[in-house]
């Protein structure tokens, strides 16, 4: 997929040299003024999407992120609520944290980290449930210039170990246990196991584990390493000067799955990311002072970073942090929380909407939801049926629904309907399932597989032709992988990995990933990761994993497994392998369907033809396409006959 040189497009040659955005319609320097700089930048974007790829924004500016999210609101608004925390169990008390209180807590946490030896530039791994301390810890890192790497609390010890090792963290912040849907998650135990795995390899860089007490469970304790957060924080001051940071200093690393190999560390930097998170939070949600804003994501994902923590707090919003799940203690939980805290803006994922839609209207109608003004969707394509239900039932037909398309790599929303300039209205006609239009300052193109730009109504591959401030800067410690993954398919463009259709009105419809990345309930997973988890079981000889359409999850995991000679294929073995993959990666990777495959369809050069496996998993056996190039076409017949998705 190389883009041919085409001078008629103009941009190819033009794009070879780094240039600033003076020619674009948005003045990013002006946008950057929405945040407080210690030293104002004089340059906006300076970037090249050609190798060597380099991306910089506001490079001569200096700032501190925690100052922007907390301190600058204090003179006038100290007593406004920054965080509302709603616990997993509705019988437990919720919390309201003002900006004044947030300031004290963030300063304390920053001092605890300093006392434990964390220095500017150090990587700190967070493995926390959805508790206020997660927000404190993230902001505390930014206060002292440490780089956080938040690992979703649903990931296994193996997954944490890999992430700690990749970024060489010296400190881990966790909790004794997490609570979700009434179930306890043994977070500290998982950290202990991860550190053991690392020690066994001689790769344990962690000197301290800071433990927040959430459930009070009895946990194993290593006194040279483990410290209780509540004990340490009682001993430090609540004043910690914010560290001046350069705009391009690293802010955080967030691991995400790609189509090959292990998850990559997406690196975001300080100035551009914050400007973009704040800018998009305002443009898309039209946030007005005093409103209660609720994004149901987890801080372990980019949505939690940009739209629970950084965007809302930079904009002095009241942001709700929810520990629980939509179905506990019952399927009215979301709507109950909306009434309880008078939520105005609600931002969730299609998978949750589909699951709740299945429960009918009654659990929704039990609550008034009168406070709602706007509904948002994120994480995966939203099917028109779910969109319409969301709009008609949850929003009573009066709230606009914005479908926001973006990625871990983009830092913030790139395509979505936006509020009007005065923040009061949305486009009258919003199409169910369309992400609609790019935000001001975002320039997408749709290309065919040859790299030709498709104009007008068209379907193809989604690329972005110019940088924006929230764009990732590199893969942590692997710039070559960054260039290879995003900038080699089509020279001069950022390749998103998504397919896209643009309709005659110019609205964009995201059709889903075109690479080997799965989107399971809005969670991103690489097929290669799941396959390597399977083959780490000694009984498995080969594994091939594909996605298939799933009513609730959007996509489910379908695995074709070849066992080693002499191993008997049984239902018990399927259950064990399912459990094994959960253990290696985490519950989000639980395979839905396992099919025994005596052989896999391979080309003569040994490459697995996933196209065929996808069609079988989708039960579209009429359209398997040409199988004559396979080394052994007869394997297909067996797979079709024994498919599990009939
Ligand atoms: O395929 C797209 C899908 O989620 C991918 C990005 O996943 P992740 O980095 O985990 O970030 C998720 C939250 C931003 C994209 O490549 N995706 C995300 N939002 C949408 C979407 N697909 C369709 N419509 C969306 N609104």
């Amino acid at each position: 997929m190389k883009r041919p040189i085409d001078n008629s497009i103009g941009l190819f040659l033009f794009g070879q040299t780094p240039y600033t955005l003076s020619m674009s319609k948005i003045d990013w320097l002006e946008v950057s003024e929405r945040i407080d700089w210690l030293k104002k930048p004089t340059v906006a974007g300076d970037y090249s999407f050609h190798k060597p790829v380099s991306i910089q924004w506001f490079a001569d500016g200096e700032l501190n992120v925690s100052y922007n999210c907390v301190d600058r609101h204090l003179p006038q608004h100290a007593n406004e609520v920054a965080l509302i925390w709603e616990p997993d169990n509705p019988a437990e008390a919720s919390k309201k944290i003002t900006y004044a209180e947030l300031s004290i807590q963030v300063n304390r946490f920053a001092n605890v980290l300093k006392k434990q030896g964390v220095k500017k530039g150090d990587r700190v791994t967070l493995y926390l449930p959805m508790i206020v301390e997660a927000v404190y810890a993230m902001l505390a890192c930014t206060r002292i210039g440490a780089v956080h790497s938040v690992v979703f609390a649903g990931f296994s010890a193996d997954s944490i170990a890999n992430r700690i090792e990749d970024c060489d963290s010296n400190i881990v912040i966790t909790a004794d246990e997490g609570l979700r849907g009434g179930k306890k998650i043994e977070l500290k135990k998982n950290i202990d196991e991860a550190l053991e795995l690392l020690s066994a390899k001689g790769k344990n860089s962690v000197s301290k584990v800071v433990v927040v007490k959430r459930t009070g469970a009895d946990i194993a304790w290593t006194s040279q390493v483990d410290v209780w957060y509540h004990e340490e924080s009682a001993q430090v001051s609540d004043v910690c000067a914010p560290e001046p940071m350069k705009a391009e200093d690293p802010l955080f690393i967030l691991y995400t799955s790609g189509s090959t190999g292990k998850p990559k560390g997406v690196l975001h930097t300080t100035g551009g990311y914050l400007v973009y998170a704040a800018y998009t939070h305002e443009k898309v949600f039209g946030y007005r002072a005093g409103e209660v804003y609720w994004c149901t994501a987890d801080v372990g994902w980019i949505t939690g970073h940009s739209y629970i923590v950084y965007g809302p707090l930079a904009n002095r919003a009241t942001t709700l942090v929810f520990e629980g799940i939509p179905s506990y203690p019952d399927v009215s939980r979301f709507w109950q929380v909306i009434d309880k805290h008078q939520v105005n803006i609600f931002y969730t994922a299609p998978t949750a909407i589909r699951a709740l839609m299945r429960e009918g209207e009654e659990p929704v109608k039990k609550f008034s939801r009168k406070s709602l003004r706007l509904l948002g969707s994120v994480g995966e394509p939203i099917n028109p049926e779910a969109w319409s239900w969301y709009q008609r039932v949850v929003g009573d037909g009066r709230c606009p629904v914005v479908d926001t398309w973006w990625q871990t790599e983009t830092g913030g929303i790139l395509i979505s309907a936006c509020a009007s300039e005065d923040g009061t209205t949305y486009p009258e006609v919003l199409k169910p399932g369309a992400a609609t239009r790019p935000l001001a300052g975002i320039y997408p193109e749709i290309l065919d597989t040859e790299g030709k730009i498709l104009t007008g109504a068209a379907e193809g591959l989604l690329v972005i032709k110019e940088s924006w401030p929230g764009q990732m800067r590199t893969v942590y410690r692997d710039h070559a992988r960054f260039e290879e993954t995003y900038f080699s398919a089509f020279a001069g463009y950022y390749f998103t990995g998504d397919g896209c259709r643009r309709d005659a009105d110019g609205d964009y419809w995201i059709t889903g990933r075109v690479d080997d990345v799965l989107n399971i309930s809005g969670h991103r997973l690489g097929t290669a990761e799941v396959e390597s988890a399977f083959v780490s079981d000694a009984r498995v000889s080969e594994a091939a994993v594909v996605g298939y359409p799933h009513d609730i999850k959007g996509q489910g995991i379908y695995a074709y497994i070849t066992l080693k000679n002499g191993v008997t294929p049984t239902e018990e073995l399927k259950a064990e392998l399912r459990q094994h993959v959960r253990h290696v990666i985490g519950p989000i990777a639980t395979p839905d369907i396992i099919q025994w495959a005596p052989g896999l369809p391979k080309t003569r050069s040994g490459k697995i033809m996933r196209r065929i496996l996808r069609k079988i998993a989708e039960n579209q056996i009429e359209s398997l396409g040409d199988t004559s190039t396979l080394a052994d076409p007869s394997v297909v017949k067996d797979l079709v006959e024994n498919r599990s998705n009939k």
Side-chain angles (χ1 to χ4, degrees):
M1 288 202 293
K2 286 275 180 277
R3 188 159 110 68
I5 296 180
D6 180 353
N7 286 342
S8 66
I9 296 166
L11 210 132
F12 182 77
L13 292 175
F14 183 47
Q16 279 183 332
T17 46
Y19 53 94
T20 61
L21 268 179
S22 54
M23 36 72 79
S24 83
K25 281 188 208 117
I26 190 162
D27 180 350
W28 286 113
L29 267 185
E30 198 180 306
V31 176
S32 77
E33 288 180 10
R34 62 178 304 122
I35 64 170
D36 285 5
W37 297 87
L38 291 161
K39 185 164 167 273
K40 279 202 177 200
T42 61
V43 287
D46 182 1
Y47 55 86
S48 170
F49 282 0
H50 289 273
K51 293 181 190 175
V53 174
S54 133
I55 301 163
Q56 292 202 324
W57 281 90
F58 314 122
D60 60 348
E62 283 183 22
L63 73 162
N64 181 277
V65 166
S66 77
Y67 177 87
N68 273 281
C69 292
V70 187
D71 306 47
R72 68 166 172 158
H73 308 317
L74 297 178
Q76 315 263 337
H77 306 281
N79 295 324
E80 290 176 14
V81 176
L83 308 178
I84 298 177
W85 179 70
E86 177 62 28
D88 183 52
N89 183 346
E92 203 184 321
S94 49
K95 292 181 191 168
K96 288 194 172 164
I97 310 295
T98 61
Y99 276 96
E101 175 71 13
L102 182 62
S103 163
I104 291 169
Q105 298 293 350
V106 170
N107 277 273
R108 273 197 197 288
F109 217 126
N111 279 329
V112 168
L113 294 180
K114 270 188 171 171
K115 197 175 147 210
Q116 299 308 323
V118 181
K119 303 213 166 43
K120 183 170 177 170
D122 284 355
R123 277 80 50 213
V124 177
T125 296
L126 275 60
Y127 184 64
L128 285 164
M130 287 291 287
I131 53 179
V132 285
E133 287 81 359
V135 181
Y136 303 160
M138 288 166 81
L139 290 170
C141 288
T142 73
R143 193 155 193 90
I144 62 175
V147 181
H148 61 66
S149 159
V150 184
V151 178
F152 174 57
F155 277 122
S156 66
D158 262 61
S159 303
I160 306 161
N162 291 336
R163 286 158 173 78
I164 291 177
E165 182 182 342
D166 188 82
C167 71
D168 236 346
S169 263
N170 49 353
I171 303 279
V172 173
I173 306 171
T174 190
D176 48 1
E177 289 181 327
L179 271 182
R180 275 188 96 231
K183 296 201 189 87
K184 293 181 169 161
I185 306 157
E186 298 178 304
L187 300 178
K188 170 66 163 59
K189 185 161 166 256
N190 288 347
I191 292 293
D192 291 347
E193 210 180 304
L195 299 190
E196 267 165 40
L197 288 169
L198 289 169
S199 295
K201 284 206 270 179
K203 292 269 173 68
N204 187 0
S205 51
V206 175
S207 56
K208 287 287 171 197
V209 177
V210 179
V211 187
V212 178
K213 190 176 252 183
R214 170 62 185 103
T215 64
D218 210 5
I219 51 171
W221 202 256
T222 313
S223 52
Q224 304 89 312
V225 178
D226 300 332
V227 294
W228 279 114
Y229 177 68
H230 63 274
E231 288 177 3
E232 294 299 313
S233 67
Q235 293 169 24
V236 295
S237 121
D238 55 16
V239 180
C240 173
E243 188 69 32
M245 302 298 288
K246 296 209 165 68
E248 283 299 337
D249 280 341
L251 179 63
F252 65 82
I253 300 165
L254 189 54
Y255 287 88
T256 193
S257 299
S259 49
T260 53
K262 56 185 179 99
K264 45 185 176 281
V266 168
L267 184 83
H268 282 287
T269 56
T270 305
Y273 172 82
L274 188 68
V275 168
Y276 198 69
Y279 162 75
T280 50
H281 176 259
E282 183 189 308
K283 289 286 160 214
V284 173
F285 302 108
Y287 185 81
R288 305 166 205 165
E291 285 190 321
V292 175
Y293 161 90
W294 181 16
C295 165
T296 68
D298 189 285
V299 289
W301 310 114
I302 191 71
T303 311
H305 283 57
S306 302
Y307 299 116
I308 294 178
V309 181
Y310 293 115
L313 294 177
N315 289 344
R316 193 169 42 85
T318 298
T319 174
L320 196 148
V321 176
F322 178 48
E323 188 181 31
I325 58 170
S327 54
Y328 177 82
D330 60 47
V331 293
S332 284
R333 183 66 165 135
F334 272 178
W335 328 123
Q336 180 253 330
V337 173
I338 287 171
D339 277 7
K340 177 174 177 188
H341 296 294
Q342 293 293 292
V343 172
N344 306 108
I345 303 166
F346 180 66
Y347 188 31
T348 195
T351 188
I353 300 164
R354 285 191 297 264
L356 294 170
M357 187 168 81
R358 209 173 48 167
E359 307 291 335
E361 299 184 13
E362 200 268 338
V364 189
K365 299 268 152 110
K366 278 207 306 214
F367 293 90
S368 101
R369 295 156 284 108
K370 285 256 157 40
S371 55
L372 287 175
R373 169 175 74 72
L374 179 69
L375 301 172
S377 172
V378 59
E380 47 175 322
I382 180 164
N383 45 314
E385 197 195 356
W387 191 100
S388 301
W389 187 85
Y390 195 30
Q391 201 263 354
R392 181 177 58 79
V393 180
V394 177
D396 280 329
R398 65 188 166 74
C399 304
V401 173
V402 291
D403 177 9
T404 65
W405 174 83
W406 58 298
Q407 310 177 300
T408 306
E409 293 88 340
T410 69
I413 298 164
L414 296 196
I415 303 181
S416 169
C418 286
S420 57
E421 268 307 306
D422 64 359
T424 56
T425 55
Y426 283 80
E428 289 219 339
V429 185
L430 288 170
K431 300 172 190 170
T436 64
R437 305 286 168 89
L439 269 70
I442 302 301
Y443 300 93
E445 291 285 3
I446 297 180
L447 306 183
D448 70 9
T449 50
E450 299 298 312
K452 190 164 138 286
I453 294 182
L454 304 176
T455 53
E459 181 161 350
L461 304 168
L462 181 64
V463 298
I464 315 288
K465 69 179 180 196
E466 294 192 23
S467 185
W468 62 98
Q471 185 171 22
M472 74 183 281
R473 301 299 195 257
T474 191
V475 170
Y476 189 64
R477 290 183 176 162
D478 198 350
H479 198 66
R481 191 173 173 196
F482 177 59
E483 292 181 325
E484 180 56 32
T485 309
Y486 304 105
F487 301 94
S488 64
F490 304 106
Y493 293 104
Y494 166 74
F495 177 45
T496 64
D498 276 321
C500 181
R501 180 166 70 81
R502 186 172 45 221
D503 67 19
D505 300 330
D507 283 320
Y508 288 76
W509 303 67
I510 307 298
T511 52
R513 301 289 306 195
V514 294
D515 52 11
D516 290 323
V517 169
L518 305 173
N519 193 325
I520 313 292
S521 299
H523 301 320
R524 200 164 142 176
L525 268 180
T527 52
E529 277 171 85
V530 186
E531 287 163 3
S532 85
F534 268 115
V535 297
S536 68
D537 185 292
R539 295 164 293 186
V540 174
S541 157
E542 246 189 320
V545 165
V546 295
Y548 73 99
H550 187 288
D551 281 352
I552 304 291
K553 299 177 172 186
Q555 257 189 327
I557 298 179
Y558 195 118
Y560 298 88
I561 303 295
T562 309
L563 295 171
K564 290 203 178 134
N565 277 341
V567 178
T568 316
T570 60
E571 285 306 306
E572 292 74 50
L573 181 53
K574 279 189 185 173
E576 282 171 36
L577 290 178
R578 212 171 265 134
Q579 196 51 38
H580 175 70
V581 173
R582 276 174 75 94
H583 182 74
V584 174
I585 303 176
I588 58 167
T590 310
D592 296 278
I593 296 175
I594 295 178
Q595 176 175 349
W596 302 126
L600 292 169
K602 289 184 187 165
T603 60
R604 282 183 201 102
S605 60
K607 197 168 172 288
I608 295 175
M609 286 188 70
R610 287 169 184 285
R611 175 177 57 79
I612 294 174
L613 295 176
R614 262 187 234 119
K615 291 286 176 199
I616 298 173
E618 290 166 6
N619 205 16
Q620 291 188 5
I621 46 163
E622 314 74 35
S623 48
L624 290 182
D626 181 14
T627 56
S628 62
T629 56
L630 292 175
D632 176 7
S634 71
V635 297
V636 175
K637 188 163 170 281
D638 177 284
L639 294 178
V640 167
E641 277 169 11
N642 293 305
R643 69 191 186 279
S644 314
N645 210 15
K646 286 181 206 167

